[in-house]
Every structure is written in C-alpha cells, then in structure tokens.
Amino acid sequence: QETNSPEFGKGLFNLMGKDSTWSAKIAARMQLLSSTTWTENSNGNYTDPHFNALIRRARLKFDGFVYSPKLSYKLELGLSNRDISGSSKFTSDAPRYILDAVIMWNFYQNFELWAGQTKLPGNIERVISSGNLQLVDRSLLNGQFTLDRDMGIQLRHYTHLTDTFVMREILSISQGEGRNITTGNLGGHQYSGRLELLPFGEFEGGDEYSGGDLKREKSPKLMLAATYNLNLNAVKTRGSQGTYMETDYGFHQTDINTLFIDAAFKYNGFSFMGEYAHRDAQDPFARNIDGSLTGEVVQVGHGLNLQAGYLFKSNWEVSGRYTNVKLNKNITGENPENQYTLGLSKYIVGHKLKVQTDMSYLSVNNGPDELMYRLQLDVHF
Amino acid sequence: QETNSPEFGKGLFNLMGKDSTWSAKIAARMQLLSSTTWTENSNGNYTDPHFNALIRRARLKFDGFVYSPKLSYKLELGLSNRDISGSSKFTSDAPRYILDAVIMWNFYQNFELWAGQTKLPGNIERVISSGNLQLVDRSLLNGQFTLDRDMGIQLRHYTHLTDTFVMREILSISQGEGRNITTGNLGGHQYSGRLELLPFGEFEGGDEYSGGDLKREKSPKLMLAATYNLNLNAVKTRGSQGTYMETDYGFHQTDINTLFIDAAFKYNGFSFMGEYAHRDAQDPFARNIDGSLTGEVVQVGHGLNLQAGYLFKSNWEVSGRYTNVKLNKNITGENPENQYTLGLSKYIVGHKLKVQTDMSYLSVNNGPDELMYRLQLDVHF
Amino acid sequence: QETNSPEFGKGLFNLMGKDSTWSAKIAARMQLLSSTTWTENSNGNYTDPHFNALIRRARLKFDGFVYSPKLSYKLELGLSNRDISGSSKFTSDAPRYILDAVIMWNFYQNFELWAGQTKLPGNIERVISSGNLQLVDRSLLNGQFTLDRDMGIQLRHYTHLTDTFVMREILSISQGEGRNITTGNLGGHQYSGRLELLPFGEFEGGDEYSGGDLKREKSPKLMLAATYNLNLNAVKTRGSQGTYMETDYGFHQTDINTLFIDAAFKYNGFSFMGEYAHRDAQDPFARNIDGSLTGEVVQVGHGLNLQAGYLFKSNWEVSGRYTNVKLNKNITGENPENQYTLGLSKYIVGHKLKVQTDMSYLSVNNGPDELMYRLQLDVHF
C-alpha cells in the first residue's frame, strides 16, 4: 500500500512522466512560530508582553519540467493566514494564494527566459527561501526595502570568467505592482538588473541562496552582488510593495529607484551575509489635486544588515545580526531603528527539520525600545 | 525515487484504489495572460494603453469513481485571484475556491443523475473547459448570458436514434443563486433543459466540447443544441449570475427566461461554433417599496457569437470570431456592442501546452471603441 | 499508468519515505448538504420554507510521521466556503484555510506533547470528526459551548489502571483566541484539562471518537469524561470562540469557566452519547469606559445533549437526539431551546460513503418554533 517515496526533505513526490515528458517534485512545508514582545513603557520598563503563536507559513511547492527539460516551471502556494493576507480591491478582494507561478525556458546555452510571477532579482535575503533562513525570520531591512515578487519576465545569463570565477546577470521587466494583482498596471513598469560575482566559484549545491553554512564549504566561497531597480511612475509607497498612493484624482505617480549591494561568504561552518539598501524617489509626497498632502509618502531611506553564524559539529548554530534602517525622517516621519539579534538554531535534518530561536533588541531613536523573543519549528517534506 | 506517472497532459496522478474500489485522476493547469487595451479617446485616437499581466487561471482537478465505476465524481478547485474572486455576504465573505464538486451516478442504462455544484447544461461555449478554448478567452456573449454553475441536480440521458444519430437530453433543477452560495435559496429555483442532436455521431473523443478541430475529424461532425432556462422568482440581474437585486424591503423577485441555440461543426481541421442567446424577464426593474427604482435591472437582451478556425498541419491555428451583444437599451441603458477577433494559436501539445494570442476590435454604438491584444500561455498536466 | 493505491476510505496516498524517514497519508473528503427549514409564523403555521443546498465541507487531510515514528503530525485544510469562513481583522482579513496544523511528540512512554493548532481536549461531540457523525451535523449544545480549536500545547498521557480500565489525562495551555488568529493573544491564556475513564477498555479501533456503533462492539464499552476549561481574561463571548467583546477603550476582559461532562456507550450496534455543558463568567457584561453596555455579553448558561442509535444488519441506522440549551436569559436575553431530532443513515462504506438524513423540531420558549429537514451525502477517500 505504500509508495516508494523520496527521503525526508526531498519532497512528498518525485514524479517523472511517461517517456520523460514532464516531471514534478511536490513538496510541503510548515512553520510554527511563537513570539513574545516587550515594549518599553514611559518609565523605561519592559512589562506587559504581547504573545503571539501562529502558523507562520504553510506552503505547497511544485516544480519540474514540461515537454522538455529545458522548459521548467515552479508553482508555490501559501496556505496560512499570514501567507495569503493582503487582499484588496487590487486583488479582486481575494486572498493572495499563489506565491510563485513561473515558467523558465533555457532557450539558448547559458540563457534562461522566465515568465510569470516570482521573486525579482532583488536582495539576497529575500531570494533565500523563507524555509532556509539562518534566523527565525528576515531582517527589518528586507521588510522595508525588498522588491519581493512581481509579474513579468526575466532574462538570466551566466558566464565562467575563469575556471572558478562565475558571473551572473539578470534583467527583468515587470508590471510594477507586486504579486496577485488583477487590476493590471498603474503608472509605468518596473525594471530590475542584478549582477552577481562569485570569484571562487559557485557555493556547494547553490548554497549561496541558503542561510548558514550547512554544507561546511571546504574552501572559502564568496558572492558579491548588486541590484538596481527602477519603478517608473510607481504608485505604491515602496515601489511595487507597500500601500497604493491614492489621491482625489487617481494615483500619485513617481519614479522610484532602489539599490541593493549584498555579499555572502561561507567557509567551514562560518557564514556571513551583508546587505545595503537605498531607496529614493523623484517626488515622494502624494498630493491631491489642490496640492494638499494625502499622507502617503514613498518610504525613502537606506538600511544595512549584517549577520554571521557558526555551525558547530553538533549541528547547533549560533548567529548574530545587526540591522539598521534609517528612513528619511523629514519625508517619512519615521525614527531610525537599530536591531540586535542573537540566534540559536538546531538543524535536526538541515533546514528541513529544525528548531530556531532568537532574541532581539530593537533600539528606536526618540521612541520606545522593544525586546522580542521567538521560537520556531520548521518541517519541510 | 520516481513514480511511473502518466504522459504529459494526462494528469499528475492516475490512481486506482486497491480492489478497484475507487479511482482518481489528479490534474493541474495554469494560464499566464497578458493583455493590453487601448480605449478610444474623445479625439477618436487609441492612446494610453492599459496593460495587465496576471495568472488568469490556476486549477486543481480531481475526477474518478468511488465504490463502483457507475458512481463517479469531479472536484475542481481554483487557485488564482481571478478564479476565487466574488466573495460576498452570500458566500460567508469567503473566496469561492470550489468550482465543481459533483457526484455522477449512472443508475440505469443511458441515464445519469448528477448532484452537487457544477456547470448547468447551458451554452456550449461555457461548458467547454477554459483550458480547451479556441481563442484566449470566451466571448462577450458568454460573459453576459451564461448560466455557468449552480448547486442542484441534473438528469442526463442519451439515445442512438440511428446508427450514428445521437440525441442527448439534460434536465436540471438547481438552487438558482450560482456557485458557492452559503445563504441558501432566495426566491424560487432554477429549471434548465437542454437537447443536443448529433446527426453524424459523437465527435472524436467527445471533442464537441473542445475548441478547434485538434482531432482533425475524418468525416464531418455536427452538434445542434438548444437550452431553455427558467429562473423562478430570480433575485439576481442575470438569473443565477450577476448582482443581487436588493431593495429596501428585501429582494426584487422576477421570473427570468433564457434561451440558447448553439451549433458546433468540425471537419478535417476546420471548426465552426455558433451561439445565439436571449434573456427576458417578467419585470426587469428592481423597485423599492415606494415604487422607486433601485438601479438594478435584469440584463435582458440577446447576443450572437460566431467563430471558426482552421488548424494547419504544423499545429498552428488561425481563427476568427464575431460577437454581437444587444441588451435592451430602454431597460439596461447599455449600448449594443460588436466585437471582431482574430486569433492565432500554436498547439505544442494540443490544448495541454499551447500559446494563444488574439487581437480584438470592439465597436460600441454611441460609445468609445476599444482595441485589445492578448497573449496567453497554457500548461495543463 | 496506475499506482497501487489504498482501498477506498483509507486515503488517496499512503506514502512511506525512503529509509522510513517519514510517512504521509493524504486523504480527501466532501459533504454535500441540502436543508429545508420551516419557521412558525404568527398564526402558528409552518409555511414558506427556506431551502439551502451547499458544499458543507470539503477537506484535505495529511498525517504521518517525520524523522521518527515518535514524531507525528497532522494537517487539515478546509476548501468549502463554510469551512474557510470567519475572516476578520484578527485573521489578517484572510480566509481560515487551515483547520489543524499540529506536531505530536511521543517523548516518553505513555506521554505525548502536542504543539500547534488543533482541537482542544473539549466535549466529545466536537472531537469526533465531522466526517464521523451519527447525525447530519453536531448539536446545538456543541454550537454554543464547544472549545473547538486553538493554538497551543497539549500534554497527553494514558495509564492502564487494570487489565482493561484505561485512564487518560490531557492538559493544555493555549492562546485563548481560537484558530487562525494572526494578531496574537489578547487578555490571558486558556487552560484546559480533560480526564477520560474507559472502565471496559478502549473501544474497537478508537471508536469512542466516532459516531454510531459501526464496529458492533462485542462487549459493552464505556467512556466517562470531564473537561474543565479556564479562559483567563477572555475577550470573546464564548471564551476562545464567538465574537470579540470590543469596547471604546479596547476589549472587555473576564475569566470564563467552561465545564463538560460527557459519556459514550456502545454495544452490539447500539450507541449512546451524552454531554452536559456549563459556562460561567466573572463579569459577563462588556462595558465601555463610562460603564455603558456595549451589547456583547458572555454566553453563560448550560446545555444537555443526549443521543442514541441502533445500527441494523443492513447498515441502516436509526438514531434520535434531544438537545437542551438554556442560556442565562437575564444576561444573554436568549430563550431556552429544546430540539428533538430523528435521524436515518445508510452507511454504504461505513462513514466513508454514507447518506444521512434527519428531521428536527426546535421548540423555543416564547419564540417561533422551527422544523428542519436535512439530507447529506458523505464521500471520504
């Protein structure tokens, strides 16, 4: 009665169609999270914790090829309330169930053309799957600056500059409104370009896009990368993310530039990841027809995220993270924030079955500081 | 690690339960659509295109039998935002995730009894799966007049009048409110009857309910059919579809009649499909208790859709479509519309992997005309 | 092309991972319900029936173990509009798709630790799966008093007091807000304890948590149990269920106690189930800061449910149910209700393929009485 299934962490099913006409790996994963947050009160004390336990993410993933191994696809669905939240009139008032739905065509040598909805070639922290993070969740920098997903096309190419030195280039044109939008494009499109340099070659098993050094790289590996994104006549406060900037005549439209510089380094259990992000806008202030402010502004500013960890032989990992987010206060009214996080992870079966916990101290200039403790269980079939 | 799976386009899984106690074919499909629309401005120019790229449909399908091959079932789920839209207080404010959930019982000879939620025996264009269309999407006639899905029962029967001549009769009683309604019936039920005549026999592989002549029928095949639908004391502007006609005392209730006459012809790569639709209502105007109009009216009128295509040996198909929708202007205030569409399709693996594109010109009497270009990719496992 | 699948009712897939590193049973089920309700009018007549046909439940279930047989999991997803309803600002305005998502760890001998979202150790009628009910649906008592699901942990233990006498103890600490909440805890947590006594041993195949005596117990089997639940500083009208008691200053918080006493008895086709429920609150009235009532009150009161059935050799079952719900009228303004139900079930393949029908008479003190007829089809793969 029992099928000969893959080993744990390699998917529920690994299907190969008759005559090798298609394949599908079907996988599922789930994160159970509990977090407790103490916010500094007016006396400077940390009392009255806020507790939250939830199914943070629950996902179904399908990937493989159709017709030819050169034509592959990926479909990822969210099931948890956090995964599918964000419904609005721009999404047909329906939950945002689909994360990725993308076709990838290796049409010529080292070139691939992607079409559909998927992550843009943005900051490394976002592109790393939420199931492969080094800490319980992504940093504040990512929350504020990420390009996340959009509907469009991507042209991807890589070259071996030397025996080991790999360079990758990604260009993307996308709708510019983010994922699961049914009302189409407003303003202009979004253009992204990313350049990745891997001077010492690719990481073991593509591990540059995975948290921690679980492969324990035998020689030092490095990726240096930069992304530039231009959202022409953007109508949302974070480019393709954030809130729609509605006015009494329609939508405020302005060009938004975002720059990311990021690096990943791994060697022998040690891992480092760093990101710098910068967002600017031609006219950050949404105004009504009479010139009055609507209250929505483009979230211009910059951020820095640095994190490192060491994986012990026992598959326990200690990690630390420093995040600085500094929005332009004159424009956004937001205070600069610094967050310090200490993490501890036990990888029972790599990222596929793990328990992670972290403690963060958030220091807000001219605002109440915050302590946060989180505990998360990951199971990925 | 790999299961012996069906060939491409025949489902992800073809399961047969132990002792043949059940079966299940599990299939998935996805449509990626981009469309660009130019609307005529006051100077008669087509400028300022509206662009929309989206996951048009993403579906999971389950069908097979339970207990006995005479007791079959179908379950179809929508995943994309367009698929699941339409939530309201009548659907428990929840997305409309389930498309079909129906049990089909072949209780006696050529008779079948269906129970559950599925497409009514309405116009051919609707009953053809959205994955098997000849053009990128269905016509304006279907959008306006279709019966679509409802919750209820259907009695189906077929007879061989001669060696080749097949006649099919379908009768249905259903709730009359459309799919995924949780608040139950308002007004009366909905009664549908459909008669199908196939003088030259069934199409190759049931292909009368599939767009284009992908089977390249060796002899001419024809289906002539008519559907009559009566929605007693209907409370929505299109019978079981459209908007609820709420008044200050409850709901406006009126009998709505809908008639469809349709035909399909295929021979040697050539295909033709034609539909005529007519809707009438006893009292189309929703009024409040004091006799004032609420603004909602039954969408009475008629429509005509004619389309034809030719499939070349290379599996490229050229097709054309003419659609006329003429609602009663005195009642609905809507202008007559004529739409002319030219389509081009490349069937890589039949309807299972195809690229379709079409260009439409919409001519609106006393209104701005419209040009629309669409490009769609279909993948059906 | 066809996989060697389980027999009907045993799941769609029974997967065992390579090297027995995991397992998964994947199952699906569906309920098609039609109900007709006649409400007594002012003349004491039962006219103008309200008819409702819907997909009552449609579910996907995954369960098995990961890493070690001692670490098991369960995931249950709802698909129907009734299953996923209840979206609010407390669920990220997203449908409540996930029913269960729980990890169960047999960490020591007869002890199990559960973590995640699942049913609390509450009244037997709730813990019995909606797919294994004796009548078309659960009683009014359950609707009013059930603890249902919550996010948290449970400690479970069992002992054999004698050769046959089994005692089970369950302790639970949970968030106290119910399922799929993304906004975290308000007020205090929720504490539940349940004690189960099975003096004549466990029922055949764990059948104490299944409706009817489909196993036709060869010797009399009995379970006596009690649950006590304390929701500290609860903010909802039914503890972790019901409506949030919002006030002009935040939320009304009060301790809510719930007690259940229940019993199940089965022998040779005869089955009996009884439940008593009692809810009390320290301060049932939600008030604004000026002392004015908000209108929300804790639903304090008690209820009794008694039901019995006999399964004939032909797998037809006749059953009856009496339910009394008596909320404190001074507090809630609700009239006492008595409901009498007569049920008839045909178990074609046990609970996996069955047709159930019941007729209920609801007698409301000082209110209109009600008749209800229901017919339901269940299919569980």
PDB file of all heavy atoms in Angstrom, chain A residues 46-67:
ATOM      1  N   TYR A  46      10.204  47.191  30.791  1.00  0.00           N
ATOM      2  CA  TYR A  46       9.659  46.260  29.814  1.00  0.00           C
ATOM      3  C   TYR A  46       8.640  45.370  30.499  1.00  0.00           C
ATOM      4  O   TYR A  46       8.985  44.392  31.135  1.00  0.00           O
ATOM      5  CB  TYR A  46      10.772  45.421  29.187  1.00  0.00           C
ATOM      6  CG  TYR A  46      11.703  46.256  28.354  1.00  0.00           C
ATOM      7  CD1 TYR A  46      12.770  46.937  28.936  1.00  0.00           C
ATOM      8  CD2 TYR A  46      11.485  46.392  26.991  1.00  0.00           C
ATOM      9  CE1 TYR A  46      13.602  47.732  28.178  1.00  0.00           C
ATOM     10  CE2 TYR A  46      12.313  47.194  26.220  1.00  0.00           C
ATOM     11  CZ  TYR A  46      13.371  47.853  26.816  1.00  0.00           C
ATOM     12  OH  TYR A  46      14.171  48.646  26.053  1.00  0.00           O
ATOM     13  N   THR A  47       7.398  45.752  30.422  1.00  0.00           N
ATOM     14  CA  THR A  47       6.356  44.977  31.087  1.00  0.00           C
ATOM     15  C   THR A  47       5.294  44.624  30.057  1.00  0.00           C
ATOM     16  O   THR A  47       5.393  44.995  28.898  1.00  0.00           O
ATOM     17  CB  THR A  47       5.708  45.804  32.214  1.00  0.00           C
ATOM     18  OG1 THR A  47       5.348  47.062  31.649  1.00  0.00           O
ATOM     19  CG2 THR A  47       6.661  45.996  33.363  1.00  0.00           C
ATOM     20  N   ASP A  48       4.295  43.911  30.481  1.00  0.00           N
ATOM     21  CA  ASP A  48       3.127  43.637  29.658  1.00  0.00           C
ATOM     22  C   ASP A  48       3.489  43.058  28.283  1.00  0.00           C
ATOM     23  O   ASP A  48       3.250  43.692  27.245  1.00  0.00           O
ATOM     24  CB  ASP A  48       2.334  44.950  29.493  1.00  0.00           C
ATOM     25  CG  ASP A  48       0.908  44.671  29.030  1.00  0.00           C
ATOM     26  OD1 ASP A  48       0.430  43.550  29.241  1.00  0.00           O
ATOM     27  OD2 ASP A  48       0.295  45.571  28.446  1.00  0.00           O
ATOM     28  N   PRO A  49       4.064  41.861  28.257  1.00  0.00           N
ATOM     29  CA  PRO A  49       4.468  41.271  26.980  1.00  0.00           C
ATOM     30  C   PRO A  49       3.272  40.982  26.078  1.00  0.00           C
ATOM     31  O   PRO A  49       2.187  40.654  26.564  1.00  0.00           O
ATOM     32  CB  PRO A  49       5.138  39.961  27.399  1.00  0.00           C
ATOM     33  CG  PRO A  49       4.557  39.636  28.724  1.00  0.00           C
ATOM     34  CD  PRO A  49       4.295  40.949  29.400  1.00  0.00           C
ATOM     35  N   HIS A  50       3.480  41.100  24.793  1.00  0.00           N
ATOM     36  CA  HIS A  50       2.478  40.671  23.818  1.00  0.00           C
ATOM     37  C   HIS A  50       2.908  39.327  23.252  1.00  0.00           C
ATOM     38  O   HIS A  50       4.003  39.195  22.720  1.00  0.00           O
ATOM     39  CB  HIS A  50       2.325  41.696  22.705  1.00  0.00           C
ATOM     40  CG  HIS A  50       1.298  41.268  21.689  1.00  0.00           C
ATOM     41  ND1 HIS A  50      -0.042  41.229  21.966  1.00  0.00           N
ATOM     42  CD2 HIS A  50       1.424  40.831  20.416  1.00  0.00           C
ATOM     43  CE1 HIS A  50      -0.709  40.799  20.909  1.00  0.00           C
ATOM     44  NE2 HIS A  50       0.153  40.545  19.946  1.00  0.00           N
ATOM     45  N   PHE A  51       2.001  38.347  23.383  1.00  0.00           N
ATOM     46  CA  PHE A  51       2.315  36.986  22.964  1.00  0.00           C
ATOM     47  C   PHE A  51       1.549  36.644  21.697  1.00  0.00           C
ATOM     48  O   PHE A  51       0.385  36.982  21.557  1.00  0.00           O
ATOM     49  CB  PHE A  51       1.945  36.012  24.088  1.00  0.00           C
ATOM     50  CG  PHE A  51       2.147  34.576  23.726  1.00  0.00           C
ATOM     51  CD1 PHE A  51       3.411  34.007  23.788  1.00  0.00           C
ATOM     52  CD2 PHE A  51       1.080  33.794  23.304  1.00  0.00           C
ATOM     53  CE1 PHE A  51       3.604  32.671  23.442  1.00  0.00           C
ATOM     54  CE2 PHE A  51       1.263  32.465  22.956  1.00  0.00           C
ATOM     55  CZ  PHE A  51       2.532  31.901  23.029  1.00  0.00           C
ATOM     56  N   ASN A  52       2.206  35.964  20.788  1.00  0.00           N
ATOM     57  CA  ASN A  52       1.554  35.567  19.545  1.00  0.00           C
ATOM     58  C   ASN A  52       2.071  34.193  19.111  1.00  0.00           C
ATOM     59  O   ASN A  52       3.273  34.005  18.953  1.00  0.00           O
ATOM     60  CB  ASN A  52       1.843  36.602  18.450  1.00  0.00           C
ATOM     61  CG  ASN A  52       0.967  36.406  17.228  1.00  0.00           C
ATOM     62  OD1 ASN A  52       0.163  35.480  17.176  1.00  0.00           O
ATOM     63  ND2 ASN A  52       1.103  37.284  16.248  1.00  0.00           N
ATOM     64  N   ALA A  53       1.154  33.256  18.970  1.00  0.00           N
ATOM     65  CA  ALA A  53       1.517  31.934  18.460  1.00  0.00           C
ATOM     66  C   ALA A  53       0.704  31.718  17.202  1.00  0.00           C
ATOM     67  O   ALA A  53      -0.502  31.946  17.195  1.00  0.00           O
ATOM     68  CB  ALA A  53       1.192  30.853  19.489  1.00  0.00           C
ATOM     69  N   LEU A  54       1.356  31.323  16.140  1.00  0.00           N
ATOM     70  CA  LEU A  54       0.608  31.148  14.894  1.00  0.00           C
ATOM     71  C   LEU A  54       1.315  30.203  13.941  1.00  0.00           C
ATOM     72  O   LEU A  54       2.484  29.886  14.118  1.00  0.00           O
ATOM     73  CB  LEU A  54       0.347  32.493  14.219  1.00  0.00           C
ATOM     74  CG  LEU A  54       1.461  33.183  13.444  1.00  0.00           C
ATOM     75  CD1 LEU A  54       0.881  34.319  12.620  1.00  0.00           C
ATOM     76  CD2 LEU A  54       2.507  33.748  14.383  1.00  0.00           C
ATOM     77  N   ILE A  55       0.554  29.759  12.952  1.00  0.00           N
ATOM     78  CA  ILE A  55       1.138  29.040  11.831  1.00  0.00           C
ATOM     79  C   ILE A  55       1.678  30.128  10.923  1.00  0.00           C
ATOM     80  O   ILE A  55       0.940  30.831  10.255  1.00  0.00           O
ATOM     81  CB  ILE A  55       0.083  28.191  11.112  1.00  0.00           C
ATOM     82  CG1 ILE A  55      -0.550  27.227  12.120  1.00  0.00           C
ATOM     83  CG2 ILE A  55       0.699  27.435   9.944  1.00  0.00           C
ATOM     84  CD1 ILE A  55      -1.957  26.835  11.776  1.00  0.00           C
ATOM     85  N   ARG A  56       3.000  30.297  10.972  1.00  0.00           N
ATOM     86  CA  ARG A  56       3.598  31.436  10.295  1.00  0.00           C
ATOM     87  C   ARG A  56       3.563  31.261   8.783  1.00  0.00           C
ATOM     88  O   ARG A  56       3.236  32.182   8.048  1.00  0.00           O
ATOM     89  CB  ARG A  56       5.048  31.595  10.809  1.00  0.00           C
ATOM     90  CG  ARG A  56       5.849  32.678  10.167  1.00  0.00           C
ATOM     91  CD  ARG A  56       5.282  34.052  10.440  1.00  0.00           C
ATOM     92  NE  ARG A  56       6.082  35.066   9.770  1.00  0.00           N
ATOM     93  CZ  ARG A  56       5.892  35.444   8.506  1.00  0.00           C
ATOM     94  NH1 ARG A  56       4.936  34.910   7.801  1.00  0.00           N
ATOM     95  NH2 ARG A  56       6.652  36.376   7.964  1.00  0.00           N
ATOM     96  N   ARG A  57       3.936  30.079   8.358  1.00  0.00           N
ATOM     97  CA  ARG A  57       3.888  29.765   6.932  1.00  0.00           C
ATOM     98  C   ARG A  57       3.479  28.306   6.770  1.00  0.00           C
ATOM     99  O   ARG A  57       3.845  27.448   7.577  1.00  0.00           O
ATOM    100  CB  ARG A  57       5.256  29.968   6.256  1.00  0.00           C
ATOM    101  CG  ARG A  57       5.733  31.404   6.222  1.00  0.00           C
ATOM    102  CD  ARG A  57       7.086  31.537   5.521  1.00  0.00           C
ATOM    103  NE  ARG A  57       7.570  32.911   5.518  1.00  0.00           N
ATOM    104  CZ  ARG A  57       8.364  33.450   6.444  1.00  0.00           C
ATOM    105  NH1 ARG A  57       8.773  32.719   7.475  1.00  0.00           N
ATOM    106  NH2 ARG A  57       8.728  34.698   6.342  1.00  0.00           N
ATOM    107  N   ALA A  58       2.726  28.042   5.733  1.00  0.00           N
ATOM    108  CA  ALA A  58       2.392  26.666   5.348  1.00  0.00           C
ATOM    109  C   ALA A  58       2.304  26.697   3.840  1.00  0.00           C
ATOM    110  O   ALA A  58       1.552  27.483   3.284  1.00  0.00           O
ATOM    111  CB  ALA A  58       1.076  26.228   5.975  1.00  0.00           C
ATOM    112  N   ARG A  59       3.109  25.898   3.186  1.00  0.00           N
ATOM    113  CA  ARG A  59       3.268  26.048   1.748  1.00  0.00           C
ATOM    114  C   ARG A  59       3.213  24.718   1.012  1.00  0.00           C
ATOM    115  O   ARG A  59       3.627  23.683   1.540  1.00  0.00           O
ATOM    116  CB  ARG A  59       4.641  26.692   1.439  1.00  0.00           C
ATOM    117  CG  ARG A  59       4.889  28.018   2.136  1.00  0.00           C
ATOM    118  CD  ARG A  59       4.367  29.174   1.350  1.00  0.00           C
ATOM    119  NE  ARG A  59       4.472  30.431   2.082  1.00  0.00           N
ATOM    120  CZ  ARG A  59       5.520  31.265   1.990  1.00  0.00           C
ATOM    121  NH1 ARG A  59       6.531  30.975   1.210  1.00  0.00           N
ATOM    122  NH2 ARG A  59       5.513  32.400   2.668  1.00  0.00           N
ATOM    123  N   LEU A  60       2.747  24.781  -0.206  1.00  0.00           N
ATOM    124  CA  LEU A  60       2.855  23.667  -1.139  1.00  0.00           C
ATOM    125  C   LEU A  60       3.704  24.132  -2.313  1.00  0.00           C
ATOM    126  O   LEU A  60       3.485  25.223  -2.838  1.00  0.00           O
ATOM    127  CB  LEU A  60       1.471  23.246  -1.653  1.00  0.00           C
ATOM    128  CG  LEU A  60       0.618  22.441  -0.701  1.00  0.00           C
ATOM    129  CD1 LEU A  60      -0.769  22.212  -1.303  1.00  0.00           C
ATOM    130  CD2 LEU A  60       1.266  21.098  -0.391  1.00  0.00           C
ATOM    131  N   LYS A  61       4.653  23.311  -2.727  1.00  0.00           N
ATOM    132  CA  LYS A  61       5.543  23.678  -3.827  1.00  0.00           C
ATOM    133  C   LYS A  61       5.541  22.607  -4.911  1.00  0.00           C
ATOM    134  O   LYS A  61       5.657  21.413  -4.613  1.00  0.00           O
ATOM    135  CB  LYS A  61       6.985  23.825  -3.300  1.00  0.00           C
ATOM    136  CG  LYS A  61       7.281  25.153  -2.657  1.00  0.00           C
ATOM    137  CD  LYS A  61       8.572  25.137  -1.888  1.00  0.00           C
ATOM    138  CE  LYS A  61       9.799  24.963  -2.757  1.00  0.00           C
ATOM    139  NZ  LYS A  61      11.055  25.127  -1.944  1.00  0.00           N
ATOM    140  N   PHE A  62       5.432  23.043  -6.126  1.00  0.00           N
ATOM    141  CA  PHE A  62       5.508  22.154  -7.277  1.00  0.00           C
ATOM    142  C   PHE A  62       6.603  22.688  -8.187  1.00  0.00           C
ATOM    143  O   PHE A  62       6.591  23.872  -8.534  1.00  0.00           O
ATOM    144  CB  PHE A  62       4.197  22.179  -8.076  1.00  0.00           C
ATOM    145  CG  PHE A  62       2.983  21.823  -7.284  1.00  0.00           C
ATOM    146  CD1 PHE A  62       2.393  22.763  -6.434  1.00  0.00           C
ATOM    147  CD2 PHE A  62       2.410  20.564  -7.365  1.00  0.00           C
ATOM    148  CE1 PHE A  62       1.260  22.442  -5.696  1.00  0.00           C
ATOM    149  CE2 PHE A  62       1.282  20.239  -6.635  1.00  0.00           C
ATOM    150  CZ  PHE A  62       0.708  21.177  -5.792  1.00  0.00           C
ATOM    151  N   ASP A  63       7.547  21.836  -8.587  1.00  0.00           N
ATOM    152  CA  ASP A  63       8.467  22.268  -9.627  1.00  0.00           C
ATOM    153  C   ASP A  63       8.940  21.081 -10.446  1.00  0.00           C
ATOM    154  O   ASP A  63       8.846  19.923 -10.014  1.00  0.00           O
ATOM    155  CB  ASP A  63       9.636  23.077  -9.052  1.00  0.00           C
ATOM    156  CG  ASP A  63      10.482  22.292  -8.084  1.00  0.00           C
ATOM    157  OD1 ASP A  63      11.213  21.382  -8.524  1.00  0.00           O
ATOM    158  OD2 ASP A  63      10.394  22.562  -6.874  1.00  0.00           O
ATOM    159  N   GLY A  64       9.413  21.380 -11.631  1.00  0.00           N
ATOM    160  CA  GLY A  64       9.843  20.323 -12.538  1.00  0.00           C
ATOM    161  C   GLY A  64       9.927  20.876 -13.942  1.00  0.00           C
ATOM    162  O   GLY A  64      10.144  22.064 -14.111  1.00  0.00           O
ATOM    163  N   PHE A  65       9.783  19.981 -14.930  1.00  0.00           N
ATOM    164  CA  PHE A  65       9.791  20.462 -16.308  1.00  0.00           C
ATOM    165  C   PHE A  65       8.567  19.951 -17.046  1.00  0.00           C
ATOM    166  O   PHE A  65       7.912  19.008 -16.608  1.00  0.00           O
ATOM    167  CB  PHE A  65      11.094  20.068 -17.026  1.00  0.00           C
ATOM    168  CG  PHE A  65      11.207  18.592 -17.340  1.00  0.00           C
ATOM    169  CD1 PHE A  65      10.614  18.050 -18.470  1.00  0.00           C
ATOM    170  CD2 PHE A  65      11.918  17.740 -16.510  1.00  0.00           C
ATOM    171  CE1 PHE A  65      10.708  16.682 -18.757  1.00  0.00           C
ATOM    172  CE2 PHE A  65      12.019  16.379 -16.793  1.00  0.00           C
ATOM    173  CZ  PHE A  65      11.402  15.845 -17.899  1.00  0.00           C
ATOM    174  N   VAL A  66       8.263  20.618 -18.144  1.00  0.00           N
ATOM    175  CA  VAL A  66       7.195  20.165 -19.024  1.00  0.00           C
ATOM    176  C   VAL A  66       7.722  20.088 -20.444  1.00  0.00           C
ATOM    177  O   VAL A  66       8.424  20.981 -20.890  1.00  0.00           O
ATOM    178  CB  VAL A  66       5.968  21.101 -19.032  1.00  0.00           C
ATOM    179  CG1 VAL A  66       5.113  20.859 -17.828  1.00  0.00           C
ATOM    180  CG2 VAL A  66       6.350  22.556 -19.139  1.00  0.00           C
ATOM    181  N   TYR A  67       7.382  19.049 -21.144  1.00  0.00           N
ATOM    182  CA  TYR A  67       7.665  18.866 -22.558  1.00  0.00           C
ATOM    183  C   TYR A  67       9.145  18.607 -22.816  1.00  0.00           C
ATOM    184  O   TYR A  67       9.506  17.628 -23.439  1.00  0.00           O
ATOM    185  CB  TYR A  67       7.185  20.102 -23.343  1.00  0.00           C
ATOM    186  CG  TYR A  67       7.252  19.956 -24.828  1.00  0.00           C
ATOM    187  CD1 TYR A  67       6.562  18.932 -25.474  1.00  0.00           C
ATOM    188  CD2 TYR A  67       8.007  20.840 -25.600  1.00  0.00           C
ATOM    189  CE1 TYR A  67       6.619  18.799 -26.848  1.00  0.00           C
ATOM    190  CE2 TYR A  67       8.070  20.713 -26.974  1.00  0.00           C
ATOM    191  CZ  TYR A  67       7.374  19.685 -27.592  1.00  0.00           C
ATOM    192  OH  TYR A  67       7.450  19.559 -28.943  1.00  0.00           O
TER     193      TYR A  67
END
